[in-house]
């Protein structure tokens, strides 16, 4: 039943991405290609809220994964840790960047590992807004090398 519900939501949600009247825009959604033995992948994107109300992501779904969680990476005692989040907010008139080293969507228990060039449809479930389906492009991790370095400075 849960799966059927998700499929129905997907069908309803698809037009939302194209012309969302509430002004939520998703840019640059991507998933780093994981090594062959990886069970877990991450999805990153920039969420831009052109509306006048804060948007709150409460959960996410993606087909082909056992579980999807909202995470925040943090340095604690010199170690990088991932902390499960109950929500990720997108401020009114602002943006929320999901990127390596920060907020991300954790795709857990991959059934068939996607490779560069594939897309992973990630459904974002909002507290007060219809779900939005984001087509995240799988990219090779190496392409981000210089970019990640930049963030440390
Ligand atoms: Cu994580």
């Amino acid at each position: 039943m849960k799966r059927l519900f998700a499929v129905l939501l997907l069908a309803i949600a698809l037009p939302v991405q194209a012309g969302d009247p509430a002004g939520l825009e998703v840019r640059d959604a991507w998933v780093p290609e994981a090594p062959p033995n990886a069970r877990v992948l991450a999805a990153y994107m920039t969420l831009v809220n052109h509306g006048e109300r804060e948007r709150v992501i409460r959960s996410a779904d993606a087909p082909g994964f056992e579980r999807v969680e909202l995470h925040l990476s943090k340095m604690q005692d010199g170690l990088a840790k991932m902390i499960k989040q109950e929500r990720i907010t997108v401020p009114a008139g602002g943006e929320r960047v999901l990127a390596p080293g920060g907020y991300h969507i954790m795709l857990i228990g991959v059934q068939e590992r996607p490779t560069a060039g594939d897309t992973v449809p990630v459904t974002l479930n909002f507290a007060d807004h219809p779900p939005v389906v984001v087509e995240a492009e799988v990219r090779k991790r190496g392409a981000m090398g210089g970019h990640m370095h930049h963030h440390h400075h």
Side-chain angles (χ1 to χ4, degrees):
M1 183 57 202
K2 192 168 181 248
R3 173 156 298 207
L4 178 65
F5 188 54
V7 169
L8 287 173
L9 282 180
L10 201 73
I12 295 163
L14 278 171
V16 171
Q17 191 182 7
D20 174 18
L24 189 81
E25 184 190 345
V26 181
R27 291 182 190 150
D28 198 31
W30 70 291
V31 169
E33 190 183 56
N37 58 350
R39 298 278 298 138
V40 168
L41 286 81
Y44 304 113
M45 65 194 70
T46 298
L47 295 146
V48 184
N49 184 356
H50 299 290
E52 291 173 359
R53 282 194 322 197
E54 180 185 67
R55 294 294 172 203
V56 181
I57 301 169
R58 296 304 307 270
S59 66
D61 300 300
F65 295 89
E66 285 165 21
R67 199 164 87 245
V68 179
E69 293 181 357
L70 310 177
H71 277 190
L72 173 62
S73 291
K74 261 189 177 172
M75 290 302 287
Q76 273 183 358
D77 305 322
L79 293 170
K81 287 189 178 166
M82 297 198 294
I83 301 146
K84 193 177 167 184
Q85 304 290 297
E86 292 298 317
R87 57 178 60 80
I88 293 176
T89 59
V90 187
E95 64 178 40
R96 171 72 65 197
V97 179
L98 278 56
Y103 285 103
H104 56 278
I105 292 163
M106 197 95 256
L107 310 168
I108 300 163
V110 62
Q111 284 153 19
E112 195 174 330
R113 190 180 65 97
T115 54
D118 292 344
T119 54
V120 177
V122 179
T123 301
L124 305 176
N125 300 309
F126 291 86
D128 186 18
H129 187 274
V132 172
V133 179
V134 178
E135 296 289 339
E137 184 192 324
V138 180
R139 298 181 198 158
K140 289 211 182 290
R141 207 174 264 275
M144 281 295 290
H147 192 63
M148 284 174 74
H149 185 71
H150 179 77
H151 276 283
H152 289 283
H153 294 282

